[in-house]
Amino acid sequence: MAEEVKLLKTWSSLFGLRIVWALKLKGIQFDSIDEDLTNKSPLLLQYNPVYKKVPVLVHNGKSISESLVIIEYIDETWKQNPLLSQDPYEKAMARFWAKFGDDKVLSSIWSVFINQGKEQEEALQVAMENLKLLEENLKGKKFFGGEKIGFLDLALGWLANLICVLEELSDIKIIDKERFPLLLGWMQEFSQAPLINESWPPREKLLTKFQIMRENQSL
Amino acid sequence: MAEELKLYGTWVSPFSRRVELALKLKGIPYEYIEEDLHNKSPDLIKYNPIHQKVPVLVHNGKPIVESLVILEYIDETWKNNPILPQDPYQRALARFWAKFIEEKILPLAMKVTNSEEKEKEKVVVEMFQLMKVLEGELNGKDFFGGESIGYVDIVATIIAVWFQVTQEVIGVKIVSEEKFPVLFKWIEKLKSIDVVKECIPPRDKHITYVKARIEAALLKSAPN
């Protein structure tokens, strides 16, 4: 039976990137459709009527949205190169940290990026506490998933690239070598890993996009 | 090997009670520890240092936190009476709807309770829209899980019970029988299940608790 796998995303979507990685790591053929979120396609509205957001995975006509839900779907449907451990406790840990990444780390780093002065300093403290927890998580491991890239690496993967973009634009060092040697090491390993490194959005375009977002936030 | 299973929760937390519901549905024996969140036990802080919240499930000394993560852990560890479907697509849908409840409906419900009069109306309208979407998912089924309760039903007990109590106390009725007939019927069915009854706070105590909390919040935000 011919498999039909479509991924609706945008060129810069961090969450869409997670799905690109998951599909590539499993060697799944897919069609990629970059959406213009200011002019959403009928396809997007049809396949994600609740949120009207990307990413959306469409597998043989059935649509799944919410990136972490999509990754678990992919892992359960295509069993090669498993992204999650078989052990329920390890799975629970990966899910917990992925949630922590989305709920706490992402927002705290964003806060550092869009704020200035005292607010930025306070935001930086919070971000560093969160990152410290991730740093501890990496002890004795090459990737969050252990020897190989796994679910949590994909969930946190945005850090490996976006941090450099945000640090350059805000002229502030968030992940420094003294405090976060393991995290920096992971960022290098992950961003240069095959299949991961070829999928990053163009850096210049990202710099422009986030510069604009930063200016809009401070208005 | 003797299994050691402990659950740290509170009688009124919808999050720890949903874990109890899952454990009871599977007939899993556990030790329950009631926490006083104004005076957290050293154990709670030890097992959940990051969030210091309930519920915490400790299985053979290993802690798991975040109720949705705990529910999945339970389902994967004790395979009888599954609460999530077997099919990957159905599982993805169940996870999607649980997330929708947690990340969209819940925060908005808190806004309904906490917002000023003039903002309240707008928030209530938004709430109606979200509830309509959720109700759409039930169409034709007895429960979100199908013929028997499943993951989404367990997560949604917060709507069936906790929301109803809060709305009664603040005098805002969102899920009424006329506006949401399907959801209303689901609530009745859910609340009539014996094991669900064991996992919800006693009504009068719950109402008193919510009233006290709302008054305390008003006092805190009152001008000096």
Side-chain angles (χ1 to χ4, degrees), chain B residues 113 116 211-223:
Chain B
T113 310
E116 302 284 315
K211 278 196 177 137
R213 267 193 82 159
I214 291 178
E215 270 174 41
L218 280 172
L219 278 170
K220 245 174 125 179
S221 60

Side-chain angles (χ1 to χ4, degrees), chain A residues 50-51 62-66 69 72-73 76-77 88-89 91-93 95-97 99-100 104 133, chain B residues 50-51 62-66 69 72-73 76-77 88-89 91-92 95-97 99-100 103-104 133:
Chain A
V50 176
Y51 291 111
K62 295 189 288 199
S63 62
I64 305 110
S65 52
E66 294 297 294
V69 175
E72 293 226 34
Y73 173 80
E76 287 167 5
T77 305
Y89 186 71
K91 262 199 201 173
M93 290 303 104
R95 287 173 179 143
F96 171 82
W97 286 109
K99 194 172 194 293
F100 181 77
K104 301 274 180 217
L133 293 168
Chain B
I50 297 174
H51 300 302
K62 295 194 285 197
I64 305 107
V65 308
E66 295 293 315
V69 176
E72 294 228 32
Y73 175 81
E76 286 160 4
T77 305
Y89 182 63
R91 289 164 79 83
R95 287 171 177 142
F96 174 86
W97 288 110
K99 250 178 159 252
F100 179 75
E103 293 174 11
K104 287 279 169 243
V133 171

